[in-house]
Amino acid sequence: MNNTTNLFSLATKAAQKAYCPYSKFAVGSAILSTNGNFYFGCNVENISYPVGTCAEAGAISAMIANGDTSIAEILIYADSQELISPCGACRQRIAEFATPQTLIHVANKQGTIKTYNITELLPHSFSEF
Ligand code: THU
């Protein structure tokens, strides 16, 4: 299984576990760190809507908790016909742990995959203060 296929499999499985009773929009995300480890997460909603978290945040948290800080590839899967477009906050979250080489894949339930780099998704990002 190649990396992207593996990431797709992990992200779709995570999406099946998504807790999304309010939006009914299941999202799964899987990461391959530059150290070669795989992580995944799903969206977790809340009755107090702003408290909900995105799938990318869960996957990144799992990566950080295991001691990795650099993303080689991340895949974001939505259980929808349309390819998901990661939210602005998640673009910023990914940017924190991305390099110019990081592959950011988005995927839908037909298995269509489109790949971006972080500059395409978050141009002119805030980087110094
Ligand atoms: N969602 C994600 O998990 N990632 C994104 O990049 C966009 C949106 C989730 C949040 C919410 O639970 C649902 O999708 C609908 O917005």
Side-chain angles (χ1 to χ4, degrees):
M1 204 187 277
N2 70 28
N3 288 338
T4 311
T5 308
N6 205 357
L7 289 167
F8 184 83
S9 168
L10 289 170
T12 54
K13 282 201 187 90
Q16 284 165 17
K17 300 277 180 359
Y19 180 76
C20 52
Y22 308 106
S23 73
K24 313 253 193 294
F25 190 77
V27 184
S29 177
I31 289 173
L32 170 62
S33 71
T34 54
N35 284 336
N37 298 313
F38 286 91
Y39 305 95
F40 54 88
C42 62
N43 54 332
V44 183
E45 297 183 348
N46 193 282
I47 186 74
S48 176
Y49 293 176
V51 177
T53 51
C54 285
E56 297 92 318
I60 289 171
S61 180
M63 177 186 79
I64 295 301
N66 196 50
D68 286 347
T69 54
S70 179
I71 300 173
E73 298 189 40
I74 180 169
L75 187 142
I76 305 129
Y77 169 86
D79 200 17
S80 72
Q81 309 269 356
E82 303 296 322
L83 286 170
I84 185 167
S85 186
C87 80
C90 284
R91 293 172 193 219
Q92 186 67 45
R93 285 191 177 98
I94 294 165
E96 185 76 15
F97 306 108
T99 69
Q101 286 72 44
T102 297
L103 303 175
I104 304 166
H105 311 287
V106 295
N108 63 9
K109 66 179 176 187
Q110 290 92 336
T112 306
I113 296 178
K114 197 164 174 191
T115 303
Y116 300 95
N117 63 45
I118 193 60
T119 310
E120 291 172 293
L121 291 184
L122 193 67
H124 310 292
S125 68
F126 177 65
S127 61
E128 299 230 5
F129 61 90

